[in-house]
Amino acid sequence: RTVSQELSRRRDARALRYSFFAGRSAARLAMADALSSEIARVGVVGAGRLGVTLADLFSRAGFEVLLVERDRQAINAASGLLRHPAIRTSTTLSGLLECDFVIEAATEDYDAKASIFIGLDELLPGDRIIATTTSGVDIDALAAVTRRASRVCGMHVIPFAQAPSVVEVVRTSDSSPDTLATAVGLARHIGLLPVVVGNAFGFIGPVLLGTAKAACLQVTPAGP
């Protein structure tokens, strides 16, 4: 008992308790005053590592998933990495017309992402949500190339210990409450902790990770 009490007073124990309750609080705030929409079919654009991971997460959670990549070699390579055989693949955006929610996970380049957003906006019904996984492109700028700014948001996945665990649901200037709630609900459904943040460069996660990394690099290992 004495040892337990001593351990509970340590800084790392206090930090773990803070992290636990902060995570719970963040998830509660994310869902305040909002209702999520019904989603059955999810489209993922971009067959890189993150796109493949998201496709697997959505498929494992019971969603019908279509993974789209215009590069035939890239989609063939991604097909060998997918863990769920039910995931369909395509080299064209047209199949996404059946999807209730589409998330873009292409390269971190504004022109490439804007081109995808324009194509999706022309293809999808106006009530469909388009999300992006970007960590460095201005999401307001991406929303501006569409005619559905209120139906655009960010879903920036933050990996911890080599596996996704937290997703920043990024609110643009025009994101509607239903759009944010839908993204939050999907994140929860696939096993990620959603945290709603504003649209600023780097959001919150990369800043915190960078600070933690800097602190780790300042630690000098003890001698023998």
Side-chain angles (χ1 to χ4, degrees):
R1 181 179 178 181
T2 300
V3 173
S4 176
Q5 291 176 339
E6 291 178 354
L7 290 174
S8 68
R9 290 193 290 267
R10 290 171 56 97
R11 291 181 61 188
D12 46 359
R14 293 199 301 272
L16 287 171
R17 291 196 294 272
Y18 175 85
S19 176
F20 174 79
F21 288 110
R24 281 190 151 194
S25 177
R28 284 198 300 270
L29 289 173
M31 291 298 292
D33 301 322
L35 299 173
S36 61
S37 300
E38 189 71 25
I39 303 294
R41 296 171 297 276
V42 174
V44 180
V45 182
R49 180 179 177 183
L50 179 55
V52 168
T53 298
L54 286 172
D56 275 326
L57 286 174
F58 280 113
S59 182
R60 184 181 67 185
F63 295 99
E64 295 179 34
V65 179
L66 175 64
L67 177 64
V68 175
E69 172 60 64
R70 290 171 176 170
D71 186 310
R72 171 61 67 181
Q73 290 185 332
I75 200 68
N76 288 340
S79 297
L81 299 175
L82 293 170
R83 298 180 180 180
H84 296 266
I87 298 173
R88 295 180 295 122
T89 61
S90 175
T91 56
T92 64
L93 295 178
S94 59
L96 296 170
L97 181 60
E98 304 173 0
C99 293
D100 306 306
F101 181 92
V102 177
I103 183 167
E104 169 271 316
T107 183
E108 284 292 288
D109 176 78
Y110 169 78
D111 291 334
K113 290 181 181 293
S115 176
I116 292 171
F117 266 65
I118 291 172
L120 291 173
D121 187 54
E122 293 175 348
L123 173 70
L124 300 174
D127 63 339
R128 304 289 165 81
I129 296 173
I130 306 174
T132 175
T133 62
T134 187
S135 61
V137 175
D138 183 357
I139 305 178
D140 276 280
L142 291 177
V145 305
T146 75
R147 295 161 294 181
R148 67 183 77 209
S150 67
R151 305 299 281 171
V152 173
C153 69
M155 290 187 72
H156 174 229
V157 179
I158 305 175
F160 287 107
Q162 306 305 313
S165 58
V166 176
V167 58
E168 294 180 290
V169 176
V170 186
R171 177 195 297 111
T172 72
S173 300
D174 298 297
S175 297
S176 70
D178 180 71
T179 296
L180 297 175
T182 299
V184 166
L186 284 173
R188 283 179 163 176
H189 204 80
I190 63 176
L192 302 181
L193 171 65
V195 180
V196 176
V197 301
N199 181 29
F201 182 75
F203 315 129
I204 296 176
V207 175
L208 293 176
L209 290 174
T211 303
K213 182 178 179 180
C216 291
L217 293 175
Q218 292 175 5
V219 175
T220 303

